Amino acid sequence: MTHSGEHGASFLTGPVRPADVVTPDDLGAEERMLVRSLVDFAEREVAPAMDRLVARDPETTRSLFKKGAELGIFMAEVPEEMGGLDLSVLAITAMCSPPVEFGPMSQLLYGHQGIGMLPIVNFGTPEQLERYLGPCMEGDMLSAFALTEPGSGSDAMNIQARAELDDAGTHYVLNGSKQWITNAGWADLFVLFAKVDGELFTAFLVERNTPGLTVDEPEHLLGHDGSSVNALSLEDVRVPVENVLGEVGRGHKVAFCTLNMGRLKLAASSAAGARMALQVAARYAAERVQFGVPIATFGLIKRKLADMAARAYAADSVSYRTAGLVYHALEALDDGGPVTPEQRLKALAEFSAECALAKVYASEAYNHSADEAVQVFGGYGFSEEYPPAKMYRDSRISRIYEGTNEISRLYAQRTVFRKLAGRHDEAGPARRGTDTLEQPHTPKELPDSKSPSGDGAITALKRLYLDLADETATRLGAEGLKDPDNQQFMASLADIAMEVFAAESVALRVAKLEGGGDQADAEIRQALATLVLNLALERIRGEARAVLSELHQGEDLLLRLREMDALLPAPEAVVGIRNRVSDWVVERAGRLPGGID
């Protein structure tokens, strides 16, 4: 089977069929059972131990880590031939939904299962797999990912940690420091990056008990109380040459491939956080009485709850659509044999722009919803005795993890430019990228944006993006696009692409479900699609105006703004729609239609 989204960034240049996208509603019984088992574990084992976990009690933490291994969490992404479960990308995405309920165990379990283990799975030699992978899967060894340094966060390739081969040629001697290393306080093994001879970016497997490796005290963090985030010091740390992970000078491949999957997972867990914030806010709004009535009846609270619902629904839709792109790419490789790590990494790299956009959208939806939950609770939201305060603190790091949202925006837009340029080279001239899109509509010819798919509105948004991208690239040139002074152009274009991706993901999800479920669910899904589209239009208009105002002046600018306004549909009247969505959500204690809750 072929899919319209089989090439990275193609969502911007052509139509997509509803049948081709994956949604949370597509999860089967096994995936839902997996999620339920994780939620049960959180409720049964983790919640009663929360105070001890926050206090970093080592016995409690290690015991629960071992129980997580018994659930099979650490075997999930390991290929069967390595002794793992080899679960699909969709199952892994579903697994990332419960972490908000794990408290400090979320970073411990999922940091180890993801960025701690996957580099070993994907790049380990047979000897490294035999020595480290089994213990990591069984919960006898905990691995952490050590890349960031005090002077190199987003500028990851500029690390200063050095590795020098000793005279005997048997060991690399590492010196330097690392900072903000998740799970460092518990880790037995580090996937650690240093530059051989100060030049060759390389990954190493470094055991905790290696002389010269020091783990500092845990950092005092804004959120995620009880988690272990520490600095490392490296002073003449001798690492056997056989502990080079991958190839000398190819450590960037280990790092960036790990981050791509990490962004996809973070999108899914952030979407779950946005849903939880909505549930907490909706339940409180139904119970809190002011002026003799529940505050859920107030128009401004309804607006908050409805927009929270729309963003959460969109974050879910984007996360699963992106996972589906990778899933279908891997499915297409299935020739009866196992999918190799190289094939898996290639599929992730193909859709790395979508992974970055999904991460940005979902993390900002989570942060926005947590902030609004505080506001719905009012003064109680500012108290640590109530859930929103913790959600607010915990949500903030999601915009920094796995590459800051600023870096993710720049990366996504640069990747999209490369994809579009590649297709331009293959297909010949494609002015403004419109060769695969419908011909321009006049405003009256655009289909009603309230329709389940919103096809005409989405096409208009894609056309606007392609126009702006083409115009920006032409005006700035290849070197200008790299200039830090022009990052605001790149970010604006990335935001437009992201909003297109989100609005279309929801529209396609709703269209795919058309005719299924009860009528009330169908109406709310359509209402959510309209809200998401209107939120997208608001942002896109603003970002497009910012770009056009820099590229044009005077009458030329006014002409381009009029062209934009003629192309885009007018916003919908959404007060009534917000009221319906809010009432529906409150009645169902914050639950959204479909999904996995």
Side-chain angles (χ1 to χ4, degrees), residues 108-277:
L108 187 69
L109 295 174
Y110 289 89
H112 170 70
Q113 179 262 341
I115 60 176
M117 284 182 59
L118 284 185
I120 303 172
V121 171
N122 290 326
F123 296 94
T125 64
E127 294 76 18
Q128 290 168 349
L129 293 173
E130 182 177 357
R131 180 166 184 174
Y132 298 118
L133 186 57
C136 281
M137 285 194 294
E138 295 161 10
D140 296 324
M141 181 174 281
L142 198 160
S143 180
F145 188 81
L147 173 60
T148 302
E149 296 183 2
S152 62
S154 297
D155 187 11
M157 295 297 291
N158 193 35
I159 60 173
Q160 300 301 304
R162 293 178 61 94
E164 308 283 349
L165 189 63
D166 66 6
D167 292 339
T170 60
H171 290 75
Y172 283 98
V173 181
L174 275 59
N175 285 280
S177 61
K178 298 292 175 181
Q179 194 169 28
W180 312 120
I181 307 306
T182 301
N183 289 341
W186 309 110
D188 306 294
L189 179 70
F190 295 93
V191 178
L192 191 145
F193 297 82
K195 286 185 176 179
V196 173
D197 299 330
E199 296 181 0
L200 302 174
F201 192 90
T202 305
F204 297 87
L205 293 173
V206 183
E207 297 182 17
R208 184 190 187 92
N209 59 5
T210 307
L213 173 62
T214 302
V215 180
D216 294 343
E217 291 298 309
E219 302 282 356
H220 297 287
L221 304 175
L222 173 67
H224 290 282
D225 294 337
S227 62
S228 173
V229 176
N230 310 62
L232 306 178
S233 297
L234 306 161
E235 186 173 351
D236 293 334
V237 176
R238 293 175 57 80
V239 179
V241 292
E242 54 266 28
N243 273 32
V244 170
L245 184 61
E247 303 174 44
V248 172
R250 303 288 287 174
H252 63 281
K253 188 175 181 181
V254 179
F256 296 147
C257 289
T258 302
L259 290 175
N260 280 336
M261 189 63 187
R263 285 169 178 161
L264 178 54
K265 293 177 179 178
L266 185 59
S269 63
S270 294
R275 294 198 312 272
M276 179 168 282

Side-chain angles (χ1 to χ4, degrees), residues 225-524:
D225 294 337
S227 62
S228 173
V229 176
N230 310 62
L232 306 178
S233 297
L234 306 161
E235 186 173 351
D236 293 334
V237 176
R238 293 175 57 80
V239 179
V241 292
E242 54 266 28
N243 273 32
V244 170
L245 184 61
E247 303 174 44
V248 172
R250 303 288 287 174
H252 63 281
K253 188 175 181 181
V254 179
F256 296 147
C257 289
T258 302
L259 290 175
N260 280 336
M261 189 63 187
R263 285 169 178 161
L264 178 54
K265 293 177 179 178
L266 185 59
S269 63
S270 294
R275 294 198 312 272
M276 179 168 282
L278 171 65
Q279 291 168 18
V280 166
R283 291 167 187 168
Y284 182 81
E287 298 167 359
R288 174 67 167 168
V289 174
Q290 292 286 274
F291 306 104
V293 295
I295 63 172
T297 63
F298 298 160
L300 288 180
I301 298 298
K302 288 186 176 186
R303 176 175 180 164
K304 291 183 185 300
L305 295 177
D307 285 356
M308 289 168 69
R311 293 176 194 271
Y313 194 74
D316 252 353
S317 303
V318 163
S319 300
Y320 279 86
R321 180 183 181 181
T322 306
L325 292 172
V326 178
Y327 174 80
H328 286 316
L330 294 173
E331 190 181 51
L333 296 172
D334 188 0
D335 57 2
V339 175
T340 66
E342 290 76 16
Q343 290 172 319
R344 188 181 300 273
L345 296 174
K346 185 176 180 181
L348 278 168
E350 179 65 29
F351 299 106
S352 59
E354 285 86 347
C355 288
L357 294 176
K359 182 264 183 182
V360 173
Y361 190 92
S363 64
E364 293 182 356
Y366 180 20
N367 209 191
H368 171 270
S369 293
D371 180 73
E372 290 289 53
V374 172
Q375 199 69 16
V376 170
F377 272 67
Y380 291 108
F382 205 66
S383 169
E384 292 288 351
E385 299 298 319
Y386 292 83
K390 183 178 185 302
M391 289 181 175
Y392 183 83
R393 291 185 290 105
D394 288 352
S395 70
R396 189 59 184 84
I397 190 62
S398 63
R399 289 163 53 193
I400 298 173
Y401 270 159
E402 312 297 0
T404 67
N405 283 11
E406 290 72 28
I407 288 295
S408 294
R409 282 179 163 90
L410 295 176
Y411 174 83
Q413 185 53 45
R414 286 169 181 155
T415 302
V416 169
F417 269 138
R418 287 197 298 271
K419 297 288 185 183
L420 294 179
R423 267 167 239 158
H424 175 95
D425 293 340
E426 294 172 4
R431 172 67 181 168
R432 299 180 188 250
T434 58
D435 53 322
T436 56
L437 289 175
E438 303 167 16
Q439 291 302 308
H441 295 287
T442 65
K444 291 182 180 179
E445 292 171 329
L446 283 169
D448 187 349
S449 64
K450 291 186 292 184
S451 68
S453 63
D455 292 334
I458 299 300
T459 298
L461 298 183
K462 291 182 182 183
R463 185 172 306 285
L464 175 64
Y465 170 82
L466 292 168
D467 281 356
L468 290 172
D470 178 78
E471 196 170 352
T472 302
T474 300
R475 181 68 63 88
L476 298 181
E479 292 305 314
L481 293 176
K482 299 175 186 177
D483 190 334
D485 286 343
N486 291 326
Q487 287 182 353
Q488 293 184 58
F489 288 98
M490 302 291 281
S492 289
L493 290 172
D495 280 348
I496 294 171
M498 178 177 70
E499 293 294 342
V500 171
F501 193 46
E504 184 180 56
S505 296
V506 172
L508 292 168
R509 178 181 180 182
V510 171
K512 186 175 183 179
L513 292 168
E514 192 171 6
D518 62 36
Q519 185 62 28
D521 279 13
E523 291 176 356
I524 291 301

